[in-house]
Amino acid sequence: MTAPATLDALCTEINWMIGGPQGTGVDSSANLFARAMAVAGYWIYGKREYHSNIKGAHSYFLVRARHTPVHSNVDPIDLLATFEKTTAEIHAHELLADGALIYDPKLTDPDKLNGLPPSALRLPIEYDAIIAAIAQETGSSPAKFVIMKNVIAVSASLALYGVAMASVEEALAGLFTGRRAKLVALNMLAVNKAYQAVEALNVAGSFAHRIAAQPNPPAKTSRMLMNGAAAVGLGKLKAGCRILTYYSITPAVDECIYLENHPEYGMVVIQCEDELAAVNMANGAATTGIRVSTSTSGPGFSLMAEGIGWAGINEVPVVIFNYQRGGPSTGLPTRSEQADLLCVVHAGHGEFPKIVMAPGDMNECFEDAFDSFNYADRYQTPVIVVPDKAIANGTESIPVFDENGLKIDRGQIVGPQSNPDDMDASIAHYPRFKITEDGVSPRVFPGTPGAIFWTTGDEHTEIGHITEDPAIRLAMHDKRMRKLDLAAREIPVDRQFMLYGPEKADITLVGWGSTKGAVLDAMPVLKDERGITMNYLHVRLMSPFPADGVAAIIKAAALPVCMESNHQGQLAQLIAMRTGIQLAHKILKYTGRPISQTEVVDAVQQVLQQRTERVVLTYGH
Amino acid sequence: MVTKLLNQPLRASQLKSDKHPDWCPGCGDFGIVNALQQALAEMKMPPWEVYLLSGIGCSGKSSHYVNVYGAHTLHGRVLPYAIGAKLANPKLTVVAAGGDGDGYGIGAEHFVHAGRRNVDLTYIIFDNEVYGLTKGQASPTLPQGDQPKSLPLPNINQAINPFALALACGYTFIARSYAYDAKHLKATIQKAIYHKGMALVDVLQPCPTYNDLRTKEFFDEEIELRGQQTPRVYSMEDEGYDGVVKNPMDREEVNAKRLAAFEKIYQQEDRVGLGVYFQIHMPTYTDLLRNNLPILTTSAPIDLPYYDDQMNPVTDLASGWQDFIV
Ligand SMILES: Cc1ncc(C[n+]2csc(CCOP(=O)(O)OP(=O)(O)O)c2C)c(N)n1
Ligand code: SF4
């Protein structure tokens, strides 16, 4: 083929995919790849797709790496790494014309692959031969090393991209620490052989996606390879969450396991018998005065509704994370969706103030996890946070979270109301639900002398006894709801919503959650490649809803379009409900796969040029 | 666990709240709440360190009637609520109360798992065989074939045996008492509160409004046993039964006591045995937590600090970061 590329012709961005049966280490190989790229100075975005199954069904991982920060994936891939048949069959058509396929010639005949671009580079890797060689060198049985097919596929990929072997070694050292450190040397055997195999094929020079060295690689200590579930976990730790209750469910369980793995922080992580227990345990703990939270996903959240209502009427500061996945019911349990918004905003019967936050990236996960406890304490009401699976299981290299300026706000707490030796005063009652102007009643905790009070799911008096008196009902209901106005006034506007991009634009996308990454990545591409200016209204606080600010931006927009991962355009419905404004144009995706940068670019152009009212996106397996 | 006791016992009346019970005249619930007030008063526990929790039902209202911190929680959910409160603040004496429908019906899953966890709690079940507050439907303890006056048709479900269930799940204190045996009930509640671990007190509670089978008259009756008239309700201890394991490390003793308890629990006779069916001292959930989370050896969750004098969070994330830096 052509002569080796000059440095100028080298790429500054790659888009790589590895796939394989669930349980064969696709995850860890993608992690290794992402780490090696990060070590080489690249910014990373990684997307994990898997079936609701433990071993066998097809799973894959996409890693995009770039000289500059990146927050989404693009559709056609430039290198597909496979070590079994199915991945090649399912994904070969997704390769760019100048892309490359790494495959096992014993299992796959590229000529028989449907949709593999004829011009794509084909790299046969003799996995079994490499494994046999390693076995011989170490004097053990080849069966022990079958698992290393991943490492071989990753290393062959990195070799083809032109990433120095030292980066792989450093990445391995980062992955295998402590007791597992001895695995580095063994893995390096496989890495070496994979690099040699690619060299022997003598095709690297003709691969159009070889990459250039990072001119100004960011300082290593200032960057993390983060995922959303851990970002939430870190935010909860920072806020001082003391008890986390959960009942296992994908993808919420990732956060819980992460936290349980850090006993040094003293957080009590309790795997409950079900979600009813999880939320009520959290309520019980929260009333004693500590910070607690519970994490779940769709079906589990449905079960929690009654307990959330109890927290609402009793003004309990409990924090609930609902990691959205495909619904309804168990829907698409391992896929992403943003379809719980209206359910969450209206969770529980009757009326009570709710604070609902929807983080859109890793950083917002950390911030919202931290702030949720401050808001819960300050407004004494349940706070529900709704990340989506795409963020929870997504990987991104990002600057280390900014911990400066974080302040703890425990709200209004009163201490002992009497001297414990004065018995009569010590058993005096306290108006825990005192009717106040802003709706907040100073809290006191069981164990405090002189401040006995009650809580009940029924309407109650200021000390918490059941009442059906209409006048008290009115005053108490009004008091609780007033807290929403207070929160709307106090929560910083930039935490409520944010307009990204130019003030005036041809088109304004309105979205929430993980959609943010793809939209922000698409913005410069639309401008540079298609001459379209776009801005993005990212809504982050769903209750109390920032109606005025959102309405003002939408009214000023030339063409407002909602973009969400659901069927109805739930944010658009919420906006209509709160502002009276109907968004006529919608770009929606509900295949359970997140929206890509490529899809945003194409859909925006379509809406702008053809005024399509409803664009449904479908890309991805 | 009680951190500090009062110098002198309280008067039970000091533990009556200003809210008057709205139960039907003759309801067994009065007896249970009175006994609880007497038990707490006598034990010299600071009332503000007692957290009385209840479920939903007639019995669920009891938390409002005692002058200690109270939470009237959701139907069937009192145990998880109690577990959360106790783990957060182990200094509180946490007592949970509720009906048989609440605990053995809708709350059955929590009932089972509370046994596995052995949190230091006292759980008092008001066992009247019916769902009082929803007008007398059959509860899980109503025997098959029975038809109290509130049931349109005879009960075709079998009754559960709560004690067999509790024993199978790991409850470390299992006792029965009777709503109108004030002395026995008070003493049993005290034993349950002193017990370190998950304690169940099932209290037979007449519901004169809906259950016309197990009434006060029924329990007060004398019955014939081996040719002699004896009270229907009797103390098992008085007849020599001892369900308390003395040495929890002695497997033989533990096995023997557990088997004896099962035998008592399944004994078919017309009499009703009151007393401790089984008791064993085992590490509590909080004890076990300390093995995994050493920081809790010196500090309960409630005592861990959140911020410094500038309101800055005191949690240092350094060890958390390490997993992610590249
Ligand atoms: C989730 C839910 N379902 C149903 C009810 C209605 N409900 C109120 S009290 C009750 C039964 C209470 O029976 P039990 O626990 O035996 O207590 P008792 O009234 O006999 O003391 C029911 C089913 C409820 N409050 N919550
Ligand atoms: S219905 Fe039965 S349990 Fe309820 S208050 Fe009346 S007598 Fe008591």
Side-chain angles (χ1 to χ4, degrees):
Chain A
M1 282 207 198
T2 45
T6 62
L7 193 68
D8 294 344
L10 293 178
C11 300
T12 56
E13 169 172 343
I14 59 139
N15 194 34
W16 174 84
M17 184 193 284
I18 189 165
Q22 184 97 300
T24 55
V26 172
D27 243 34
S28 43
S29 52
N31 198 357
L32 174 61
F33 182 88
R35 263 185 177 264
M37 291 302 296
V39 166
Y42 282 77
W43 297 87
I44 310 293
Y45 172 82
K47 176 179 100 134
R48 179 177 156 210
E49 285 293 350
Y50 53 102
H51 271 271
S52 181
N53 139 292
I54 300 304
K55 285 204 164 151
H58 177 65
S59 71
Y60 66 93
F61 213 119
L62 244 150
V63 179
R64 185 179 180 194
R66 197 161 81 174
H67 275 186
T68 50
V70 56
H71 320 289
S72 64
N73 68 290
V74 281
D75 289 335
I77 45 181
D78 45 55
L79 175 51
L80 175 61
T82 72
F83 48 85
E84 45 84 51
K85 249 171 82 185
T86 317
T87 302
E89 287 168 358
I90 293 179
H91 297 285
H93 74 276
E94 293 181 53
L95 271 173
L96 286 165
D98 58 4
L101 172 74
I102 288 177
Y103 65 100
D104 184 342
K106 271 194 169 165
L107 303 173
T108 308
D109 176 358
D111 293 333
K112 295 205 176 119
L113 288 176
N114 250 342
L116 176 67
S119 52
L121 211 56
R122 291 137 198 248
L123 260 79
I125 298 288
E126 303 276 357
Y127 288 96
D128 289 343
I130 294 178
I131 282 170
I134 300 172
Q136 205 183 16
E137 256 172 66
T138 56
S140 350
S141 117
K144 266 185 71 179
F145 300 108
V146 172
I147 191 73
M148 283 193 166
K149 284 188 180 179
N150 289 302
V151 181
I152 298 168
V154 166
S155 313
S157 305
L158 291 165
L160 188 62
Y161 279 128
V163 176
M165 214 187 317
S167 299
V168 200
E169 187 162 14
E170 200 181 322
L172 280 170
L175 277 180
F176 297 120
T177 54
R179 272 183 302 152
R180 298 165 72 217
K182 56 178 184 293
L183 292 173
V184 176
L186 196 62
N187 277 280
M188 277 312 287
L189 278 179
V191 173
N192 250 303
K193 295 203 176 340
Y195 267 74
Q196 283 163 16
V198 172
E199 214 160 89
L201 289 168
N202 204 17
V203 290
S206 56
F207 182 45
H209 296 273
R210 270 177 92 76
I211 48 172
Q214 244 295 29
N216 301 307
K220 290 210 171 114
T221 49
S222 61
R223 265 179 323 149
M224 313 177 288
L225 200 53
M226 184 53 64
N227 65 77
V232 169
L234 287 161
K236 287 187 178 179
L237 286 173
K238 190 74 194 174
C241 175
R242 303 284 177 236
I243 293 186
L244 174 79
T245 62
Y246 79 100
Y247 181 72
S248 314
I249 190 164
T250 304
V253 72
D254 293 346
E255 177 212 316
C256 309
I257 301 294
Y258 170 72
L259 288 170
E260 197 162 7
N261 245 325
H262 283 279
E264 70 272 22
Y265 289 103
M267 185 195 281
V268 179
V269 180
I270 309 173
Q271 184 200 340
C272 301
E273 56 271 29
D274 60 22
E275 288 83 355
L276 304 153
V279 72
N280 286 291
M281 222 178 260
N283 283 346
T287 51
T288 69
I290 63 163
R291 290 188 153 185
V292 313
S293 136
T294 179
S295 289
T296 188
S297 300
F301 185 80
S302 296
L303 287 181
M304 288 185 181
E306 191 198 21
I308 296 172
W310 195 92
I313 196 168
N314 285 301
E315 314 196 28
V316 180
V318 62
V319 172
I320 301 126
F321 269 72
N322 174 25
Y323 287 88
Q324 300 170 92
R325 56 187 221 182
S329 187
T330 35
L332 297 170
T334 60
R335 312 291 176 179
S336 198
E337 202 166 71
Q338 303 171 318
D340 294 354
L341 179 60
L342 295 175
C343 161
V344 162
V345 165
H346 298 124
H349 59 279
E351 301 163 302
F352 57 94
K354 249 173 252 137
I355 295 185
V356 178
M357 306 155 86
D361 57 30
M362 310 287 159
N363 213 36
E364 292 182 5
C365 278
F366 179 73
E367 289 173 349
D368 288 358
F370 183 85
D371 288 345
S372 59
F373 293 91
N374 280 349
Y375 297 162
D377 276 344
R378 188 167 182 82
Y379 308 115
Q380 300 178 23
T381 202
V383 176
I384 309 172
V385 189
V386 286
D388 51 47
K389 179 256 167 190
I391 306 181
N393 287 166
T395 308
E396 212 173 302
S397 59
I398 52 170
V400 168
F401 294 133
D402 186 6
E403 295 179 68
N404 290 320
L406 293 179
K407 298 281 179 197
I408 300 272
D409 178 0
R410 295 237 51 208
Q412 298 181 47
I413 296 173
V414 300
Q417 302 290 296
S418 82
N419 173 352
D421 294 331
D422 179 356
M423 190 58 208
D424 284 333
S426 286
I427 54 176
H429 302 158
Y430 173 81
R432 162 71 190 94
F433 303 105
K434 191 173 174 47
I435 310 277
T436 59
E437 211 166 299
D438 63 6
V440 176
S441 322
R443 286 211 291 160
V444 70
F445 307 126
T448 311
I452 283 169
F453 68 90
W454 288 266
T455 45
T456 168
D458 290 34
E459 190 55 273
H460 45 252
T461 60
E462 286 188 326
I463 59 165
H465 280 319
I466 296 175
T467 182
E468 296 184 18
D469 180 314
I472 299 180
R473 160 67 174 185
L474 196 71
M476 201 51 83
H477 206 356
D478 285 346
K479 166 204 128 65
R480 283 191 297 267
M481 295 311 282
R482 277 202 291 277
K483 296 192 290 188
L484 266 187
D485 301 330
L486 181 68
R489 283 198 302 275
E490 290 185 343
I491 295 177
V493 174
D494 61 2
R495 288 293 162 90
Q496 303 198 13
F497 62 91
M498 187 83 117
L499 185 68
Y500 293 89
E503 204 159 302
K504 287 251 161 292
D506 301 331
I507 187 167
T508 297
L509 290 190
V510 184
W512 60 292
S514 64
T515 315
K516 179 184 178 188
V519 175
L520 292 190
D521 281 350
M523 205 178 281
V525 178
L526 273 162
K527 183 145 182 283
D528 297 346
E529 294 179 10
R530 319 246 169 144
I532 295 171
T533 56
M534 176 177 88
N535 56 18
Y536 173 57
L537 171 59
H538 180 62
V539 184
R540 197 164 158 190
L541 186 68
M542 300 300 178
S543 170
F545 194 77
D548 294 346
V550 166
I553 292 173
I554 295 178
K555 279 188 191 144
L559 178 60
V561 180
C562 96
M563 167 164 259
E564 308 177 47
S565 288
N566 59 52
H567 186 278
Q568 309 181 83
Q570 295 198 6
L571 177 59
Q573 291 195 350
L574 191 62
I575 289 172
M577 210 169 99
R578 300 285 190 227
T579 67
I581 300 175
Q582 304 275 353
L583 290 171
H585 298 274
K586 298 186 176 72
I587 302 171
L588 304 166
K589 187 166 185 179
Y590 40 92
T591 55
R593 278 64 175 173
I595 297 170
S596 68
Q597 172 192 307
T598 321
E599 284 180 307
V600 177
V601 170
D602 292 346
V604 161
Q605 189 166 25
Q606 184 186 336
V607 173
L608 200 60
Q609 288 168 358
Q610 298 163 27
R611 299 283 146 164
T612 317
E613 289 210 340
R614 182 180 171 91
V615 179
V616 176
L617 307 176
T618 58
Y619 195 88
H621 180 78
Chain B
M1 191 182 70
V2 186
T3 44
K4 187 185 137 221
L5 293 181
L6 302 173
N7 296 328
Q8 54 185 24
L10 296 168
R11 278 168 283 117
S13 62
Q14 288 175 292
L15 287 178
K16 283 201 190 321
S17 82
D18 52 353
K19 184 95 180 162
H20 298 292
D22 63 0
W23 292 312
C24 313
C27 176
D29 291 0
F30 289 102
I32 305 177
V33 166
N34 284 342
L36 176 62
Q37 284 158 343
Q38 282 172 23
L40 292 172
E42 229 175 76
M43 290 169 85
K44 300 196 280 187
M45 276 200 221
W48 57 92
E49 289 185 359
V50 179
Y51 201 11
L52 177 61
L53 315 174
S54 57
I56 293 285
C58 299
S59 49
K61 295 182 179 172
S62 42
S63 57
H64 289 281
Y65 306 141
V66 183
N67 202 16
V68 296
Y69 282 96
H72 180 196
T73 72
L74 286 163
H75 193 34
R77 314 300 161 204
V78 68
L79 282 180
Y81 190 100
I83 290 171
K86 182 69 184 183
L87 293 180
N89 187 354
K91 278 176 286 194
L92 297 174
T93 297
V94 180
V95 178
D100 43 9
D102 195 76
Y104 305 141
I106 190 168
E109 193 187 2
H110 308 310
F111 181 82
V112 165
H113 294 276
R116 291 177 55 218
R117 292 201 184 93
N118 200 32
V119 177
D120 184 15
L121 299 174
T122 299
Y123 187 24
I124 305 173
I125 293 238
F126 297 41
D127 190 350
N128 58 10
E129 303 180 342
V130 290
Y131 282 33
L133 200 61
T134 45
K135 297 200 173 11
Q137 299 79 21
S139 95
T141 50
L142 183 71
Q144 193 174 42
D146 277 12
Q147 187 178 17
K149 65 184 176 192
S150 56
L151 254 59
L153 297 169
N155 177 28
I156 56 175
N157 296 296
Q158 282 194 50
I160 63 156
N161 186 322
F163 283 0
L165 186 62
L167 205 51
C169 300
Y171 279 70
T172 50
F173 179 97
I174 300 171
R176 169 159 286 155
S177 193
Y178 169 50
Y180 284 120
D181 187 341
K183 237 177 92 188
H184 189 271
L185 180 52
K186 182 190 72 184
T188 310
I189 290 173
Q190 289 177 340
K191 280 183 202 166
I193 293 176
Y194 282 130
H195 174 76
K196 262 183 80 71
M198 186 69 216
L200 169 67
V201 183
D202 182 279
V203 187
L204 303 171
Q205 176 238 319
C207 166
T209 304
Y210 295 117
N211 188 344
D212 54 346
L213 302 175
R214 253 71 60 191
T215 57
K216 187 164 183 300
E217 294 67 39
F218 170 87
F219 289 115
D220 287 350
E221 231 166 39
E222 299 233 313
I223 56 158
E224 202 186 288
L225 184 77
R226 291 183 284 274
Q228 294 219 320
Q229 289 296 110
T230 55
R232 184 188 297 278
V233 176
Y234 73 103
S235 152
M236 300 188 304
E237 281 94 351
D238 286 354
E239 295 192 2
Y241 179 80
D242 177 5
V244 184
V245 173
K246 305 292 174 309
N247 178 6
M249 307 308 280
D250 179 349
R251 278 173 62 173
E252 248 173 68
E253 192 204 353
V254 174
N255 284 340
K257 284 272 155 71
R258 197 169 264 138
L259 285 175
F262 262 116
E263 206 177 311
K264 261 281 173 229
I265 286 165
Y266 278 110
Q267 206 164 50
Q268 299 222 4
E269 54 176 24
D270 297 328
R271 298 195 309 164
V272 180
L274 305 186
V276 178
Y277 281 71
F278 184 72
Q279 182 177 17
I280 186 168
H281 290 282
M282 303 283 282
T284 65
Y285 196 82
T286 303
D287 296 333
L288 297 169
L289 263 180
R290 291 186 185 115
N291 296 342
N292 283 353
L293 308 173
I295 201 172
L296 298 185
T297 325
T298 47
S299 215
I302 191 86
D303 298 324
L304 296 171
Y306 287 93
Y307 47 81
D308 62 16
D309 51 11
Q310 302 293 307
M311 304 311 280
N312 298 312
V314 290
T315 309
D316 176 3
L317 286 182
S319 82
W321 291 145
Q322 282 323 306
D323 306 343
F324 304 101
I325 300 283
V326 276

